[in-house]
Amino acid sequence: MKKTLLASLGLTLMLSTSASVALAEEANPVPVAKESTLTSVLEYNEQEPNDSFEQANYFFIGDAVIGTLGKEVQGGWEAYDVFKIKAFRSNEVQFIIEGNKYPDSWMELTLYDSNGKRIKRSKNAQYSLNADLEKGKEYYLAVDVPGLQYGGNVFYYKISTEVIR
C-alpha cells in the first residue's frame, strides 16, 4: 500500500513538473545555439572561510561566484580565496574575473592541481586565465591580490567560466 502511494505521488510530481517546464518553455522560448556554451548558469556568493585548500568552496564550471578580498571577515583578514573544481569533462576552460581595478594593485588567478602544485597563474593585471582541465581530476583556483595590505583597498569580484573547447 505504501509503495503504491509513494509511486503514485512520485509520478504525479514528475508529470506536473514536466508539464510546468513545457508550459514555461512555450510561453518564454529561449533561443540557444546548438553548440552554445552558456556561462554563469548559477551565481552564488563565496562562503567564508575559504582561505586554504582545506576550506575551499566548491565551484562548478558554468557557474559564477561572487567574493570579496581586503576586509575583515569573521575576525580574520580576507586576503586570499580558494575554490575547488572537479572536471567532469576534458575541456579548455577560461576563468574570467571581473571586479575592482586600482592603478597600484590587481587581482590574480592561480590554478593548482589536487596536490597543491601550481599549474598556471594569470599575468599582471590580466583578468582571465585559460587552462586545460582533465576529466575526473580536481583542481583549486585561488584569487589573491599581490601586496594587499590590511586597511587598503577592498576588492569585490565575480569569477565566471567559459568552455572554449
Side-chain angles (χ1 to χ4, degrees):
M1 178 74 169
K2 287 182 185 178
K3 288 182 183 179
T4 305
L5 180 61
L6 288 174
S8 176
L9 287 172
L11 181 59
T12 303
L13 179 60
M14 183 183 74
L15 290 174
S16 65
T17 302
S18 298
S20 298
V21 170
L23 287 173
E25 286 177 354
E26 189 175 297
N28 299 314
V30 178
V32 177
K34 193 172 191 175
E35 294 296 319
S36 175
T37 56
L38 297 175
T39 58
S40 303
V41 173
L42 181 63
E43 187 173 294
Y44 47 90
N45 292 320
E46 66 171 325
Q47 297 297 309
E48 295 295 344
N50 65 330
D51 305 326
S52 67
F53 292 157
E54 294 79 22
Q55 298 172 326
N57 289 178
Y58 279 98
F59 179 71
F60 298 97
I61 303 301
D63 291 351
V65 65
I66 297 169
T68 308
L69 294 175
K71 65 181 191 178
E72 224 174 293
V73 177
Q74 297 180 357
W77 173 242
E78 179 67 352
Y80 191 75
D81 286 336
V82 182
F83 300 93
K84 188 174 188 174
I85 300 162
K86 177 154 182 158
F88 292 102
R89 292 185 178 158
S90 292
N91 286 322
E92 181 180 358
V93 175
Q94 181 178 43
F95 297 95
I96 302 143
I97 188 165
E98 302 170 68
N100 302 105
K101 296 179 184 180
Y102 299 103
D104 60 341
S105 52
W106 58 87
M107 292 178 282
E108 283 187 345
L109 296 171
T110 307
L111 186 68
Y112 298 89
D113 68 13
S114 61
N115 296 316
K117 181 181 174 192
R118 186 173 80 185
I119 297 172
K120 196 170 189 180
R121 173 179 279 169
S122 61
K123 294 183 171 81
N124 294 353
Q126 182 182 358
Y127 281 69
S128 66
L129 176 69
N130 289 18
D132 289 316
L133 304 183
E134 291 182 46
K135 180 180 178 178
K137 292 195 174 183
E138 291 186 338
Y139 300 88
Y140 293 98
L141 182 68
V143 180
D144 71 307
V145 178
L148 184 63
Q149 299 291 322
Y150 182 82
N153 296 324
V154 174
F155 291 82
Y156 297 93
Y157 66 85
K158 175 181 171 182
I159 300 174
S160 57
T161 57
E162 183 175 337
V163 175
I164 296 178
R165 61 171 170 83

